[in-house]
């Protein structure tokens, strides 16, 4: 069954190329400077600096993300198929048309999937259950496969995912009249995605001035890619960037595929990269 596993790992390698394609689409998008900077009066001495979306992210960005999602999902499904085929010694294995890697948020949901996967050996189902999102101590939404499942389901059945900008670096410089000083409001934490507009800074001047007397330099503000439906992701209190999430998802998927191969007595092309088979003996 070596070839079946080779196909599953090839899918995952293809996902990496789709992530790079997504990154290139993002670079092309931001090269057009799709955000404007605006200064808004709150009071005569209080001002807000806003990043305002001038041009929405192109559909090519959403399509690249869609392809990445579908490829990750397919790699998991292919891996489970290869595992079952290896365990049963049959290709196709029993009830092959039902084989799809289950991703469940509750134990009840997984119990239903076990019934659907009645042709899969019980020991495989037990091992797959141990890796389910509902087993995570931080809740299913902290599990990357939960998001693969939810995002891919929306992508397939409803619509492409919307690409956005997210403030990833924050440094603002002000140019004010010589007799005016400013104090920034440090409670503003603008590390968020931009939907329409986002307040990236707030400050108070030493005296009332016109907003047209203020020039804001935001060259120190970095804007990274984001997917709107995934923007709220939280991993054990951390909020990794979208690129980090995509990379972690590929690593997490590879680790699961390598475990499937190890249980099947198969060595992936290029060897094991996320686990040491000796640790399992």
């Amino acid at each position: 069954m070596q070839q079946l596993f080779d196909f599953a790992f090839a899918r995952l390698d293809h996902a990496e190329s789709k992530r790079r394609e997504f990154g290139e689409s993002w670079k092309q998008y931001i090269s057009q400077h799709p955000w404007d900077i605006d200064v808004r009066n709150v009071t005569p001495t209080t001002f807000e600096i806003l990043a305002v979306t001038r041009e929405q992210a192109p559909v090519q960005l959403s399509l690249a993300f869609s392809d990445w999602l579908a490829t990750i999902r397919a790699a998991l499904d292919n891996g489970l198929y290869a595992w079952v085929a290896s365990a049963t010694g049959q290709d196709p294995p029993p009830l092959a048309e039902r084989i799809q890697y289950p991703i469940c948020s509750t134990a009840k949901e997984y119990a239903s999937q076990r019934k659907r996967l009645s042709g899969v050996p019980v020991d495989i189902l037990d091992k797959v259950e141990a890796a389910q999102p509902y087993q995570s101590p931080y809740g299913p939404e902290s599990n990357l496969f939960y998001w693969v499942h939810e995002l891919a389901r929306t992508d397939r059945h409803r619509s492409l995912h919307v690409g956005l900008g997210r403030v990833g670096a924050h440094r603002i410089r002000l140019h004010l009249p010589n007799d005016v000083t400013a104090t920034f409001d440090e409670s503003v934490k603008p590390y968020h995605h931009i939907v329409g507009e986002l307040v990236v800074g707030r400050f108070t001047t030493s005296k009332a001035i016109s907003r047209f007397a203020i020039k804001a330099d935001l060259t120190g503000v970095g804007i990274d890619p984001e997917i709107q439906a995934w923007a709220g992701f939280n991993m054990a209190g951390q909020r990794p960037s979208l690129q980090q999430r995509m990379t972690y998802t590929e690593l997490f998927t590879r680790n699961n595929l390598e475990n499937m191969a190890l249980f099947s007595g198969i060595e992936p092309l290029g060897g094991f990269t996320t686990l040491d088979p000796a640790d399992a003996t």
Side-chain angles (χ1 to χ4, degrees):
M1 304 301 175
Q2 178 76 50
Q3 187 180 53
L4 291 177
F5 276 104
D6 291 347
F7 286 162
F9 282 101
R11 290 266 196 189
L12 185 57
D13 292 338
H14 189 58
E16 182 181 350
S17 72
K18 288 300 177 181
R19 172 166 53 82
R20 290 196 299 268
E21 181 182 325
F22 177 88
E24 289 302 316
S25 294
W26 177 258
K27 289 178 183 178
Q28 184 175 357
Y29 169 52
I30 62 174
S31 71
Q32 307 301 315
H33 304 290
W35 295 279
D36 284 332
I37 301 304
D38 193 16
V39 178
R40 177 169 61 195
N41 285 95
V42 179
T43 72
T45 58
T46 304
F47 302 85
E48 289 181 337
I49 304 171
L50 302 100
V52 181
T53 303
R54 177 174 56 82
E55 182 180 340
Q56 300 297 326
V59 69
Q60 288 82 359
L61 192 76
S62 297
L63 287 170
F65 186 74
S66 173
D67 290 344
W68 177 83
L69 271 177
T71 306
I72 290 288
R73 192 65 177 90
L76 280 172
D77 293 339
N78 290 176
L80 180 60
Y81 181 93
W83 190 6
V84 176
S86 180
T88 61
Q90 300 178 58
D91 181 17
L95 301 175
E97 70 280 359
R98 298 185 185 180
I99 296 176
Q100 182 184 44
Y101 189 91
I103 300 176
C104 302
S105 300
T106 66
K108 181 179 180 180
E109 185 181 353
Y110 190 78
S112 176
Q113 290 297 312
R114 288 187 77 113
K115 293 178 182 178
R116 179 180 64 82
L117 296 168
S118 56
V120 176
V122 171
D123 66 317
I124 291 180
L125 290 175
D126 289 344
K127 289 182 173 69
V128 171
E129 183 173 15
Q132 289 299 299
Y134 71 84
Q135 305 279 14
S136 171
Y138 298 102
E141 292 186 7
S142 68
N143 182 282
L144 291 167
F145 283 171
Y146 167 90
W147 287 100
V148 168
H149 179 64
E150 292 299 320
L151 293 168
R153 183 165 58 178
T154 297
D155 181 82
R156 283 196 308 270
H157 302 302
R158 301 178 195 173
S159 178
L160 291 169
H161 287 287
V162 176
L164 302 169
R166 172 185 174 182
V167 175
H170 183 244
R171 184 180 181 185
I172 297 174
R173 292 179 177 177
L174 295 177
H175 300 281
L176 303 169
N178 291 333
D179 59 341
V180 178
T181 59
T183 303
F184 276 95
D185 181 350
E186 295 184 2
S187 69
V188 176
K189 306 294 183 184
Y191 297 98
H192 297 286
H193 54 288
I194 305 169
V195 181
E197 64 179 35
L198 175 71
V199 175
V200 295
R202 184 182 300 115
F203 61 94
T204 302
T205 55
S206 56
K207 68 178 183 179
I209 59 173
S210 167
R211 72 180 184 87
F212 299 107
I214 300 168
K215 292 184 179 180
D217 179 355
L218 269 69
T219 54
V221 174
I223 301 181
D224 299 330
E226 184 57 272
I227 293 296
Q228 187 168 13
W230 207 2
F233 176 76
N234 187 303
M235 180 187 287
Q238 302 297 315
R239 299 191 64 178
S241 70
L242 177 62
Q243 291 286 358
Q244 288 174 322
R245 275 172 269 155
M246 293 173 77
T247 302
Y248 294 160
T249 299
E250 291 168 24
L251 288 171
F252 192 41
T253 304
R254 183 168 296 278
N255 181 259
N256 276 263
L257 291 180
E258 288 187 1
N259 272 288
M260 295 179 194
L262 181 64
F263 291 136
S264 303
I266 299 291
E267 181 171 347
L269 291 175
F272 292 92
T273 60
T274 69
L275 56 87
D276 184 352
D279 292 340
T281 60

